[in-house]
Structure formats: C-alpha cells, structure tokens
Amino acid sequence: MDKRREKLATTAMVNWVAVLGLSLLSIQAPAQSTDQLEKPALITGQLEKGTPQDAARELVEKLGYAQSAPCKLVFLRDENPDLAFGEFFRAECGEKELFLKFSDKPIAQSFLPTMAFLESEPELSASILQPLAEFSFKRKGGKQDAEEYCSAYPWVAGDTLEALLDKVDDPEQEAEYLTGVYRQLGKLLAEMHGAGLVNADKPLAEWKSHLVQRDLHSRNLKITPDKRIVILDIDSFASQREPAPVQKTFVLDVVRLVFAGGKKEEPIFEDLPSAQPWMAVLPGVAEAMVTSYCQTLVGEDKAVACVSQVANLVHHLLWKLHKREYVDFEEGEEGEEGEEDEEDEEDEEDEEDTMSSGDEEGTGSSVSDEEMTRRLGVVLGPLR
Ligand SMILES: Nc1ncnc2c1ncn2[C@@H]1O[C@H](COP(=O)(O)OP(=O)(O)O)[C@@H](O)[C@H]1O
Ligand SMILES: [Mg+2]
C-alpha cells in the first residue's frame, strides 16, 4: 500500500498532523470534530484553475506533493491510447506518484461510508484503491454553476488485468500463473463481500454486502509488480446506494473476468484457432476463481454447494450471451437458478448492467450451439 495512504488512514493523531499541514498550506481542510476524527480521512477543498491540467497541478501542489521538487504531470492518454476516453493524470513527485481523475460527481465523498467498512480490514484495505483527496473545480467554458471534481489516489503500478491478458501469447505456458491470479482474485472478492455482509443468516442467493464493486471488468483491476491485486474505480461500489447481492454480482464478475472481459476476442464464443489454447486454460482458471471464492466466503464445508450454484448461473448466463441475448443484472435474474423470463430483453440501455457477446469486438465467427454445449461442459461441467 502507498505509504502516504497508510499514514492518512490510520490514526486520529495523523489526522491532526494532516490538519496542521493543511492549514499551513492554507487549504480549505474538512471541518474537524471528535466525531469526524474517527472517520477515514479525505482531504477536500476547492481549486481555482479552470482546465484539467492546471487543476490537477494545483491539487498536487495544495496537497504538498510539490514541496521539495516540482511534480511532473503526465496526461495518461499521451502514453496509453486505452486511456484516451478520459481525463486521467499521473503526478510524478520524486518517489511519490498520484493518480488523478475528474468527475461531475463527488465520487470520493460518496465512497466514505465504504472506506469506513475497510478501516478494520488492513489487508483488504490494501487491495481496494481508496481516495486521498477530492477538490471541486469549475471548468473554464463549462456550464455556469456546474461543479466538477478532481480526485487523487495513490498510483498503482502494474498492468490492468486486460493489459496482462493481452500480453499472453501462449496461454498454456502461462496456465499456472493465470490460475494463480484468478485464485487470488476469487479469494479477494470473497473477503471483500464478506467484510460488508448484512444478512448471512439467509441462503447464499440472498446475501447482500456493502462492499461490492458492481462494475468489475478487466480494466478495473491491476496486478502490481509484486503480484498483488488491486481493485480500482470506486465509482461503482454498492454502498453509496444500498448493499448489493453478492452471488449475483460474483457470477457477473466471473463472466466478465474469465469469459467476456477482454477487448479482443472472447475465446469461449469464438470459432477460431486462436480460441483453442485459451480453451485449454479456462477450466483451471474458472475452477480457481469460483472455488477460492466459495471456500473463503462460506467455508470448506459449504463450498461444494456454492461452487455448483455459481457454476450453474455462469452457465446460464454464458448460454444467453452465446445466443446474443442481452443480459440485465439489475432488473431480472432474481430467480435462484437464473430462471428469469426471456421476454423483456433488448430494451435495456444502461451499459453498466447489460452486456452482450460478439456485437462489438467479435469477429462474427461464433461457435455452433453444439460446440458451445461442448465447451461449456468442458469448462463448467466439473463444477456443476
Ligand atoms: N490508482 C491508479 N493507478 C494507476 N492507474 C490507475 C489508477 N486508477 C485507475 N487507473 C487506470 O485508469 C483507468 C481508468 O480509471 P477508472 O478509475 O477505472 O476510471 P473510470 O471510472 O473512467 O473507468 C483504469 O482502467 C486504469 O488503467
Ligand atoms: Mg473503470
């Protein structure tokens, strides 16, 4: 975990040091009271500058990062075309690096209740990216009273899961490594869901948690050089609204992260020679992720039933995707075995909660129903 983050998150004493530091820098620090000292620290304030670049620089300065030497500000779209869709920056300040992003909502403020759940979970805390600061900002030329926000996070080094998968030339060679990553991922998601559980007395299908990332795809995860997994993108955590169902979300996570998460082809659906080597590793990867999730969440004794339930739901969903049906995780899917009505497909617009296979990135060469049945049997059969 970033040293600065650790310092900010641990003790009340450190909060006071931060307050002192902030007042010296004459920043508008959050109002402090005894009550607030127990809450996680998030530095807030206002920026004067009107462009993202200038505002990002101003924020870094106000946070005191530019004190010993000026920080270099890198517009991430300049070094990574995958990030051209947003205004993301890295501030390089000597040894310390920050990630900065802009939003029209105070996403970091909204994340504070979630951070409170993480306070007593130091290990888990290190695996979920948390904000350091969020300042409001008025864009030059923007709508008159429209407030935007610039938030700052510790920089997480390493590849996103998407970038990592893109680099794999020979999946079979990497089978052990990939299986290990997904095993770790299953465990992490179970620890995260488990730490925010609200109704564990009910059957698993009804469990809900405050610690649920509802938009977990391969660009919202990083694998660090020391092989830790870090979950990014606090915008999509559930507790801003209300606790979210864990099983349903995990099923979607498995589908996105194992089967349909990359920007390239999605091997399980594709009738291509390049799909074959991936088909060889998918059973192990799926087994690792689902088994470690269930073992961690419900314990060894109940894991078999959990694995089978999840595998059935994943199977159901992959079949729908193969048939190019839209899948809506917010509305339908309340049934135990995913037996929802098939009627109101295709009219859901919310991209976050819908997905389809083959439409955008696919090559058009989908496998036949028979081949899909065979592949699903190979990958999920042993788990069901
Ligand atoms: N703390 C971080 N350190 C390094 N890179 C990051 C960090 N947070 C996000 N990224 C990179 O920026 C991308 C977009 O960030 P994200 O928070 O997911 O924004 P969005 O809400 O637009 O999806 C991620 O896919 C990842 O590549
Ligand atoms: Mg994201």
Side-chain angles (χ1 to χ4, degrees):
M1 184 204 272
D2 184 280
K3 288 282 175 297
R4 184 170 166 79
R5 169 83 223 123
E6 263 175 20
K7 275 190 215 136
L8 283 170
T10 42
T11 63
M13 173 112 150
V14 177
N15 274 343
W16 280 112
V17 175
V19 172
L20 197 67
L22 288 174
S23 46
L24 288 174
L25 287 162
S26 62
I27 306 171
Q28 185 191 327
Q32 297 290 315
S33 69
T34 350
D35 156 49
Q36 275 178 311
L37 286 175
E38 267 133 54
K39 291 185 183 160
L42 178 73
I43 304 168
T44 57
Q46 284 171 357
L47 301 170
E48 304 299 323
K49 300 283 198 263
T51 69
Q53 276 92 340
D54 290 345
R57 207 175 291 282
E58 186 188 350
L59 176 55
V60 170
E61 277 167 24
K62 284 191 163 172
L63 292 176
Y65 278 78
Q67 264 170 348
S68 41
C71 301
K72 182 179 169 206
L73 194 68
V74 180
F75 200 2
L76 292 178
R77 68 171 57 165
D78 296 338
E79 65 174 26
N80 183 355
D82 288 348
L83 297 179
F85 69 93
E87 291 166 330
F88 305 112
F89 296 89
R90 181 178 58 248
E92 299 173 358
C93 311
E95 297 281 275
K96 291 177 183 151
E97 292 185 313
L98 291 178
F99 175 79
L100 303 158
K101 74 173 188 180
F102 290 81
S103 172
D104 55 5
K105 294 189 200 81
I107 50 174
Q109 295 262 22
S110 313
F111 191 65
L112 281 171
T114 308
M115 278 164 78
F117 281 100
L118 293 169
E119 272 203 317
S120 52
E121 305 277 345
E123 269 186 55
L124 190 57
S125 203
S127 300
I128 298 170
L129 183 70
Q130 289 164 72
L132 300 168
E134 181 168 69
F135 279 48
S136 62
F137 146 80
K138 281 213 171 67
R139 190 181 290 263
K140 207 165 142 192
K143 276 200 206 125
Q144 222 192 354
D145 288 321
E147 205 91 69
E148 290 185 43
Y149 300 87
C150 179
S151 45
Y153 308 78
W155 176 262
V156 180
D159 285 325
T160 61
L161 181 63
E162 178 183 80
L164 187 135
L165 294 176
D166 279 350
K167 282 186 195 165
V168 175
D169 286 329
D170 183 351
E172 284 175 89
Q173 282 280 317
E174 309 288 339
E176 206 179 312
Y177 171 69
L178 291 171
T179 308
V181 168
Y182 280 88
R183 195 177 303 286
Q184 203 185 328
L185 192 52
K187 182 163 174 274
L188 169 59
L189 292 174
E191 283 166 355
M192 184 172 89
H193 290 172
L197 274 190
V198 290
N199 52 353
D201 51 323
K202 303 233 170 87
L204 177 61
E206 291 168 43
W207 287 14
K208 290 188 173 180
S209 170
H210 287 282
L211 283 171
V212 176
Q213 215 290 13
R214 303 185 65 133
D215 186 29
L216 203 58
H217 50 69
S218 58
R219 290 175 302 283
N220 278 344
L221 283 175
K222 270 197 160 189
I223 322 294
T224 67
D226 58 348
K227 299 197 170 63
R228 287 182 307 112
I229 294 177
V230 180
I231 296 178
L232 312 174
D233 209 344
I234 59 169
D235 317 26
S236 311
F237 269 81
S239 79
Q240 299 169 15
R241 298 175 262 176
E242 52 185 44
V246 299
Q247 191 189 54
K248 214 161 95 172
T249 308
F250 180 66
V251 168
L252 181 55
D253 295 345
V254 173
V255 169
R256 279 180 173 147
L257 296 171
V258 177
F259 300 103
K263 63 180 172 197
K264 291 194 179 157
E265 72 266 26
E266 293 159 346
I268 192 136
F269 304 110
E270 308 270 351
D271 186 15
L272 287 170
S274 61
Q276 287 311 320
W278 281 104
M279 281 306 300
V281 302
L282 286 183
V285 160
E287 193 270 343
M289 182 170 175
V290 177
T291 307
S292 63
Y293 178 82
C294 286
Q295 285 175 344
T296 310
L297 188 69
V298 301
E300 297 274 344
D301 50 333
K302 300 200 189 94
V304 176
C306 164
V307 167
S308 151
Q309 242 174 307
V310 169
N312 280 327
L313 289 165
V314 170
H315 185 283
H316 173 79
L317 198 46
L318 289 174
W319 185 260
K320 287 190 87 171
L321 290 169
H322 163 68
K323 298 302 261 179
R324 298 183 183 242
E325 291 172 16
Y326 281 92
V327 172
D328 179 356
F329 272 79
E330 284 289 301
E331 302 304 323
E333 211 75 10
E334 241 18 292
E336 301 283 274
E337 299 296 324
E339 298 291 322
E340 83 266 297
D341 301 334
E342 312 269 54
E343 34 186 71
D344 57 1
E345 35 198 72
E346 305 220 11
D347 51 35
E348 185 53 64
E349 304 261 296
D350 187 350
E351 266 184 42
E352 226 180 81
D353 303 309
T354 58
M355 54 201 291
S356 65
S357 90
D359 292 344
E360 310 86 19
E361 294 116 7
T363 56
S365 48
S366 300
V367 292
S368 64
D369 286 0
E370 292 70 33
E371 175 61 7
M372 189 64 184
T373 304
R374 190 193 70 79
R375 290 185 182 190
L376 288 175
V378 170
V379 177
L380 296 169
L383 305 179
R384 300 171 75 203

